[in-house]
Amino acid sequence: MSQEYRVAVVGATGQVGTLMLRLLRERGFPAREIVPFASERSAGKEIEGVGTVQALTEETIQGFDLALFSAGGSTSGEWAPRFVEAGAVVVDNSSKWRMNDEVPLVVAEVNPDALASHKGIVANPNCSTMQMVVALKPIHDAAGIERLVISTYQAVSGTGKKAVDELLDQSHALLHETEPPAPEAYAHQIAFNALPHAGSFAPGDDHTDEERKLINETRKILGDEEIRVSATCVRVPVVNGHSEAVNVQTREELSPEEARELLRAAPGITVADDPSSALYPLATEATGHDEVFVGRIRRDPGHERALDMWIVADNLRKGAATNAVQLAEILNERDLITPRATSTLA
Ligand SMILES: NC(=O)c1ccc[n+]([C@@H]2O[C@H](COP(=O)([O-])OP(=O)(O)OC[C@H]3O[C@@H](n4cnc5c(N)ncnc54)[C@H](OP(=O)(O)O)[C@@H]3O)[C@@H](O)[C@H]2O)c1
């Protein structure tokens, strides 16, 4: 008889958490109970069809087999190890554990075998990295990737619910010719703008943390520290769905036709590539879907071993919630939801 798990969803009132709750049910994850957790502000609220939101305490976190976290890095830093100590396996959406050598950083279609080495915590990559590596994996396997030049066009839902409200409120004000509310989620007005500042600048760094994540996480997931990566992450006034223009320089020659065939055959990818009929991936069309969409696949006229492509996905789904639930499913299928020691994680 297959096992049924007691599952915690931490950050259950947020955009990613809400979707994880929905996907666990829709995809039939074998849970005998799902308990929603959020901040103290939400404790006691009812989530329809799920139950009462709990606050995180030493008592409330006991007795779980699995915990899916999407409540930010500081909450994961403090509470993910405590869940592990209490016997759960944690799948974490925040950036807190991703680059820890003891923590596998896993994309379901790309490196699922890395899950076997987990010591209690498994990390879900950053949304812009996630969708890109799904598209890069078949190309890397076939021709080897030497260098990537990436420009992202990232939606505001990637910043959280408050940023979505900020875009809508500013847009509404500007369309009604009134003073837009001052920026809070971003350094500048996001409505009708493009901010070359997705993420934040650490003191002394000329790249944002989002750009560093793209560079470092891509190498870790593809298992190749030699790949050179140049990244510019831009926040655009799109509600949901990240788009990326990626220049892929390969070690072996690969034609656009060969790349298209590889991508068509790869799991989790839909190729939408007929520019003459205005067919290419769009954020509005990717929203609500779990796949990664790839189009505009063409030879870079400036380099005989480089291709350009346009990669789009729903950042809340494949970029976060869908992959987290896929990882939970693989952990279950491979019998990896078992208590581990966590003493080395800090
Ligand atoms: N949005 C994306 O595209 C995306 C993609 C990949 C990863 N992620 C990561 O997923 C996480 C959540 O993103 P989101 O877009 O869902 O954010 P969100 O809509 O702002 O939701 C944040 C969630 O975290 C909870 N939370 C905040 N502080 C907490 C605390 N101290 N203790 C317990 N719960 C707390 C909130 O509870 P309350 O409602 O009670 O405040 C809410 O449930 C972040 O770590 C983000 O980096 C997001």
Side-chain angles (χ1 to χ4, degrees), residues 59 114 136 163 208 283 341:
E59 291 72 46
L136 293 182
T208 66

Side-chain angles (χ1 to χ4, degrees), residues 93-111:
N93 267 290
S94 82
S95 57
K96 171 68 194 173
W97 301 102
R98 290 180 191 147
M99 295 310 295
N100 186 309
D101 288 341
E102 306 271 296
V103 175
L105 179 64
V106 188
V107 181
E109 296 84 354
V110 178
N111 61 337

Side-chain angles (χ1 to χ4, degrees), residues 15-60:
Q15 302 179 108
V16 177
T18 304
L19 204 43
M20 290 198 300
L21 287 172
R22 174 136 65 93
L23 290 171
L24 284 168
R25 278 173 297 175
E26 279 177 9
R27 295 171 68 103
F29 186 79
R32 66 172 189 279
E33 187 187 3
I34 297 176
V35 179
F37 285 86
S39 76
E40 303 225 340
R41 295 179 291 276
S42 306
K45 280 188 192 161
E46 282 300 313
I47 299 184
E48 208 188 321
V50 183
T52 311
V53 175
Q54 307 291 312
L56 293 160
T57 69
E58 218 34 70
E59 291 72 46
T60 56

Side-chain angles (χ1 to χ4, degrees), residues 33-286:
E33 187 187 3
I34 297 176
V35 179
F37 285 86
S39 76
E40 303 225 340
R41 295 179 291 276
S42 306
K45 280 188 192 161
E46 282 300 313
I47 299 184
E48 208 188 321
V50 183
T52 311
V53 175
Q54 307 291 312
L56 293 160
T57 69
E58 218 34 70
E59 291 72 46
T60 56
I61 68 163
Q62 299 301 316
F64 289 94
D65 304 297
L66 181 69
L68 305 184
F69 268 67
S70 67
S74 57
T75 305
S76 294
E78 182 178 352
W79 289 96
R82 294 199 194 181
F83 265 93
V84 176
E85 270 156 28
V89 173
V90 169
V91 178
D92 183 35
N93 267 290
S94 82
S95 57
K96 171 68 194 173
W97 301 102
R98 290 180 191 147
M99 295 310 295
N100 186 309
D101 288 341
E102 306 271 296
V103 175
L105 179 64
V106 188
V107 181
E109 296 84 354
V110 178
N111 61 337
D113 294 346
L115 287 172
S117 67
H118 86 77
K119 294 183 168 55
I121 300 178
V122 170
N124 217 29
N126 173 256
C127 39
S128 30
T129 309
M130 184 98 70
Q131 67 184 61
M132 186 181 71
V133 295
V134 171
L136 293 182
K137 167 73 173 163
I139 294 173
H140 189 50
D141 286 349
I145 291 173
E146 197 165 73
R147 181 166 192 252
L148 299 165
V149 182
I150 309 155
S151 299
T152 69
Y153 303 70
Q154 296 183 221
V156 295
S157 63
T159 312
K161 265 198 296 223
K162 284 186 183 147
V164 175
D165 293 341
E166 188 159 314
L167 169 62
L168 298 179
D169 291 346
Q170 288 177 354
S171 305
H172 186 269
L174 289 162
L175 287 168
H176 290 82
E177 296 179 10
T178 59
E179 188 63 27
E184 286 181 15
Y186 302 112
H188 301 278
Q189 176 186 307
I190 182 65
F192 308 115
N193 217 348
L195 310 179
H197 182 171
S200 50
F201 290 98
D205 198 351
D206 56 4
H207 283 67
T208 66
D209 56 352
E210 190 79 5
E211 289 159 353
R212 295 278 174 212
K213 287 175 201 172
L214 258 177
I215 297 166
N216 298 329
E217 294 181 22
T218 298
R219 292 179 177 147
K220 179 168 176 178
I221 297 161
L222 293 177
D224 189 340
E225 290 299 317
E226 302 296 309
I227 300 174
R228 286 178 286 157
V229 188
S230 162
T232 304
C233 292
V234 181
R235 190 73 61 186
V236 291
V238 167
V239 172
N240 194 54
H242 289 351
S243 305
E244 300 174 327
V246 184
N247 180 276
V248 188
Q249 187 175 316
T250 51
R251 295 185 179 124
E252 313 290 327
E253 214 170 297
L254 188 73
S255 70
E257 294 71 30
E258 287 168 324
R260 227 172 264 124
E261 283 318 303
L262 288 168
L263 291 165
R264 279 204 184 98
I269 295 176
T270 297
V271 174
D273 197 13
D274 185 5
S276 61
S277 334
L279 178 68
Y280 30 69
L282 293 172
T284 46
E285 289 177 10

Side-chain angles (χ1 to χ4, degrees), residues 300-337:
D300 168 0
H303 198 289
E304 66 285 358
R305 279 183 290 104
L307 298 171
D308 283 300
M309 56 188 70
W310 180 247
I311 304 170
V312 180
D314 183 330
N315 50 295
L316 297 178
R317 280 189 172 250
K318 185 58 199 173
T322 302
N323 196 67
V325 174
Q326 285 176 306
L327 297 189
E329 290 167 350
I330 301 170
L331 286 165
N332 170 43
E333 285 157 20
R334 300 189 182 185
D335 205 15
L336 292 167
I337 305 183

